[in-house]
């Protein structure tokens, strides 16, 4: 099921196709967890959308649902996972 909630602190995190953090939900609580080393002053980024989508599907979703223009979406997804390359299987194994 899909739900909508507002987490003001988490809303400060920007999208990245290769994020350095993930959000884990436990009912109504959200926890931000680093998945890469984050340096002081470095932007904390999360992935807004499913890694199971193709890169073109992810770009379309970013532009239609998150009001990110096409150029920004393509830049954000430059290093993101792409199922056509087998990246999703790699992600699932982690």
């Amino acid at each position: 099921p899909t739900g909508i909630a507002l987490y003001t602190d988490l809303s400060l995190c920007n999208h990245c196709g290769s994020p350095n953090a993930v959000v884990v939900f436990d009912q109504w609580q959200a926890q931000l967890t680093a998945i890469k080393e984050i340096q002081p002053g470095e932007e904390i980024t999360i992935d807004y959308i499913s890694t199971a989508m193709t890169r073109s599907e992810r770009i379309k979703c970013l532009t239609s649902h998150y009001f990110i223009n096409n150029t920004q979406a393509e830049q954000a997804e430059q290093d993101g996972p792409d199922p056509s390359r087998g990246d999703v299987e790699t992600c699932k194994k982690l």
Side-chain angles (χ1 to χ4, degrees):
T2 300
I4 297 174
L6 177 62
Y7 297 89
T8 54
D9 292 338
L10 292 177
S11 67
L12 298 174
C13 295
N14 284 321
H15 169 78
C16 179
S18 181
N20 56 19
V22 295
V23 179
V24 178
F25 292 94
D26 181 12
Q27 295 184 355
W28 288 101
Q29 285 192 324
Q31 178 177 328
L32 183 65
T33 303
I35 56 174
K36 297 178 182 175
E37 187 173 334
I38 303 172
Q39 300 300 316
E42 182 180 353
E43 179 179 28
I44 297 174
T45 57
I46 59 175
D47 194 345
Y48 291 174
I49 51 183
S50 171
T51 57
M53 294 181 195
T54 65
R55 180 162 287 120
S56 60
E57 290 171 330
R58 289 169 58 86
I59 290 169
K60 184 177 179 180
C61 182
L62 286 171
T63 57
S64 64
H65 292 87
Y66 293 96
F67 305 104
I68 297 173
N69 72 43
N70 199 53
T71 301
Q72 291 170 323
E74 287 175 4
Q75 289 172 343
E77 288 300 307
Q78 181 175 318
D79 297 323
D82 190 340
S84 67
R85 294 192 322 237
D87 293 346
V88 172
E89 288 304 314
T90 302
C91 292
K92 288 179 183 175
K93 292 177 186 174
L94 296 178

